[in-house]
């Protein structure tokens, strides 16, 4: 683990050339990494570095070891070939980001299922664009299991939803789905319900190199392959973006820098830049298929060791994404490798998605307590299974939880252990200012039994109301 490091979050991974240049100058002599939530990690410097004090107020600079997670959104993918996203066309992403006053404590994602650059469900709160423009699904990730809420939220409600859930969350645990639904139904006007989320089959696309955008201009996506980025290169990149009046440089969740809206006759300047700095735009499929925290060099070394052996075998892993100790299990990879030290030896556990399809929730355990050679064997086996058994289903339908009305019909009853007075969530206590439908966990911390004044912490759930 790095002794000292700084993590820099800009919501949605949107950096101005000026802000990215400040980061690059601060990283001189150290280099920097791109994180998996569209952020920047600078090793060996403190977050109060003088150059970092010049960052815009919308950019958050914190101690790497005690930081908040970035707010991820797929705005960066808008306009790329094959991507179709109304939230990008309508500027909904930017409007929502502007309405959120500070970084949430919870991991929040704003993504479209019509893009292939960002994983959809790597957050705790995952707002997914609905088929109807202006509306969003909400998928909560609780204990690595996705749960789709049954109603749609308007774009101008997203920031309210985040604030409500955070204000009522018992850190570090997220509210359960029933509590979230009751909370939102009680506080917001919900004007649309949706029983399912249809996820179409989309092959992940890294968009490496130059791509012609829908507006005829070009995008350039540059990967670091888990290496430190050279501050000199980044400063020159920012200067070039400034000279061409490109106001944004995008960080993706796939450790790449994305520059968009380059005029065709100016592409040669970018070609010269990456050529002078010996930047490759042709990574192998194994390189791009691995999701590893670049700042954790022990994990990167394990990845390089595995890739070296896979290259020697000459095996194709086309379309198969593998993550090594990711901070979020649901990071878009079909295979997860978990590593830990036991008696001075690295031991591995391997998980994979059902049918190797990222659209399914949860993972299946393939093997555990593996040494390195056994890990390679199971990867070979899973590779064969992937090409033989991977899902070719066009649509996977994610079913929503029961509606708020059904939840209200099954709300719990809590009982005082001393006088047996009961609190009915469905009924509440209107005479004490507690509205019907208020979950027991949402009662004030100083709430107590009105008969014998026993504190709420001693109450126990006895049954569910009918």
């Amino acid at each position: 683990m790095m002794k000292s490091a700084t993590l820099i979050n800009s919501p949605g991974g949107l950096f101005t050339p000026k802000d990215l240049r400040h980061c690059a100058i601060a990283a001189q002599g150290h280099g920097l990494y791109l994180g998996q939530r569209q952020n920047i990690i600078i090793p060996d410097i403190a977050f109060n570095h003088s150059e970092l004090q010049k960052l815009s107020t919308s950019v958050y600079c914190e101690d790497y070891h005690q930081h908040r997670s970035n707010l991820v959104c797929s705005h960066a993918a808008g306009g790329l070939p094959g991507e179709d996203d109304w939230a990008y066309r309508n500027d909904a992403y930017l409007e929502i980001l502007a309405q959120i006053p500070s970084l949430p404590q919870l991991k929040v994602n704003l993504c479209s299922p019509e893009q292939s650059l960002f994983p959809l469900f790597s957050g705790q709160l995952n707002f997914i664009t609905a088929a109807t423009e202006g509306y969003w699904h909400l998928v909560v990730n609780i204990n690595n299991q996705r749960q789709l809420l049954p109603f749609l939220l308007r774009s101008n409600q997203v920031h309210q939803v985040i604030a409500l859930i955070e204000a009522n969350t018992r850190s570090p645990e997220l509210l359960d789905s029933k509590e979230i639904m009751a909370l939102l139904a009680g506080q917001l006007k919900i004007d649309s319900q949706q029983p399912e989320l249809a996820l179409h089959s989309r092959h992940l696309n890294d968009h490496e190199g130059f791509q012609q955008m829908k507006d005829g201009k070009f995008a350039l996506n540059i990967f670091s392959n888990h290496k430190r980025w050279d501050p000199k290169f980044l400063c020159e990149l920012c200067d070039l973006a400034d000279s061409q009046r490109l106001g944004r440089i995008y960080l993706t969740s796939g450790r790449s820098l994305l520059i968009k809206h380059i005029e065709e006759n100016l592409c040669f300047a970018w070609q010269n830049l990456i050529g002078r700095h010996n930047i490759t735009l042709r990574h192998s499929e194994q390189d791009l298929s691995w999701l590893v925290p670049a700042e954790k060099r022990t994990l990167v070394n394990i990845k390089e060791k595995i890739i070296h052996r896979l290259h020697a075998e000459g095996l194709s892993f086309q379309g198969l994404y593998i993550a090594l100790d990711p901070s979020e299990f649901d990071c878009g990879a079909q295979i997860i490798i978990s590593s830990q030290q036991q008696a001075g030896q690295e031991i591995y556990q391997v998980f994979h998605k059902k049918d190797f399809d990222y659209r399914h929730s949860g993972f299946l355990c393939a093997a555990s307590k593996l040494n390195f050679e056994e890990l390679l064997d199971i990867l070979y086996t899973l590779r064969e299974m992937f090409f033989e058994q991977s899902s070719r289903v066009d649509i996977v339908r994610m079913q929503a939880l029961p509606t708020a009305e059904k939840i209200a019909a099954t709300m719990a009853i809590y009982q005082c252990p001393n006088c047996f007075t009961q609190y009915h969530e469905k009924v509440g206590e209107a005479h004490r200012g507690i509205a019907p439908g208020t979950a027991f966990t949402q009662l004030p911390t100083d709430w107590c039994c009105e008969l014998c004044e026993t504190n709420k912490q001693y109450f126990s759930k006895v049954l569910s109301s009918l």
Side-chain angles (χ1 to χ4, degrees), residues 107-118:
K107 294 178 180 177
V108 178
N109 284 20
L110 306 167
C111 288
S112 167
E114 302 303 321
Q115 55 79 37
S116 54
L117 189 59
F118 291 84

Side-chain angles (χ1 to χ4, degrees), residues 196-201 359 392-398:
E196 66 178 24
L197 169 58
L199 297 170
H200 293 264
S201 178
R359 294 173 293 178
R392 296 293 183 267
V393 177
D394 181 53
I395 299 177
V396 170
R397 299 187 184 279
M398 187 176 182

Side-chain angles (χ1 to χ4, degrees), residues 278-297:
N278 198 31
I279 304 294
T280 181
L281 298 180
R282 296 186 304 274
H283 285 98
S284 72
E285 63 190 35
Q286 279 93 341
D287 287 332
L288 294 181
S289 293
W290 282 80
L291 308 176
V292 182
E295 73 278 12
K296 297 183 179 179
R297 303 315 293 172

Side-chain angles (χ1 to χ4, degrees), residues 396-420:
V396 170
R397 299 187 184 279
M398 187 176 182
Q399 298 302 314
L401 296 169
T403 63
E405 289 79 7
K406 291 182 179 179
I407 285 183
T410 58
M411 281 188 156
I413 296 173
Y414 289 78
Q415 184 167 277
C416 174
N418 297 318
C419 68
F420 305 113

Side-chain angles (χ1 to χ4, degrees), residues 356-457:
F356 300 93
D357 193 326
Y358 77 94
R359 294 173 293 178
H360 291 298
S361 179
F363 283 83
L364 306 174
C365 183
S368 58
K369 298 182 179 179
L370 304 172
N371 61 32
F372 185 76
E373 294 299 325
E374 292 169 333
L375 171 63
L376 290 175
D377 288 340
I378 197 67
L379 288 178
Y380 295 149
T381 300
L382 292 176
R383 171 195 168 275
E384 292 177 4
M385 291 171 59
F386 169 70
F387 289 114
E388 293 175 1
Q389 304 175 17
S390 58
S391 174
R392 296 293 183 267
V393 177
D394 181 53
I395 299 177
V396 170
R397 299 187 184 279
M398 187 176 182
Q399 298 302 314
L401 296 169
T403 63
E405 289 79 7
K406 291 182 179 179
I407 285 183
T410 58
M411 281 188 156
I413 296 173
Y414 289 78
Q415 184 167 277
C416 174
N418 297 318
C419 68
F420 305 113
T421 296
Q422 292 181 340
Y423 173 79
H424 294 239
E425 290 184 328
K426 183 177 180 180
V427 177
E429 292 182 339
H431 61 289
R432 300 176 71 185
I434 308 297
T438 301
F440 187 77
T441 54
Q442 294 176 269
L443 295 176
T445 54
D446 59 353
W447 183 92
C448 61
C449 175
E450 63 178 334
L451 185 61
C452 70
E453 298 186 346
T454 297
N455 189 272
K456 62 174 286 191
Q457 65 179 316

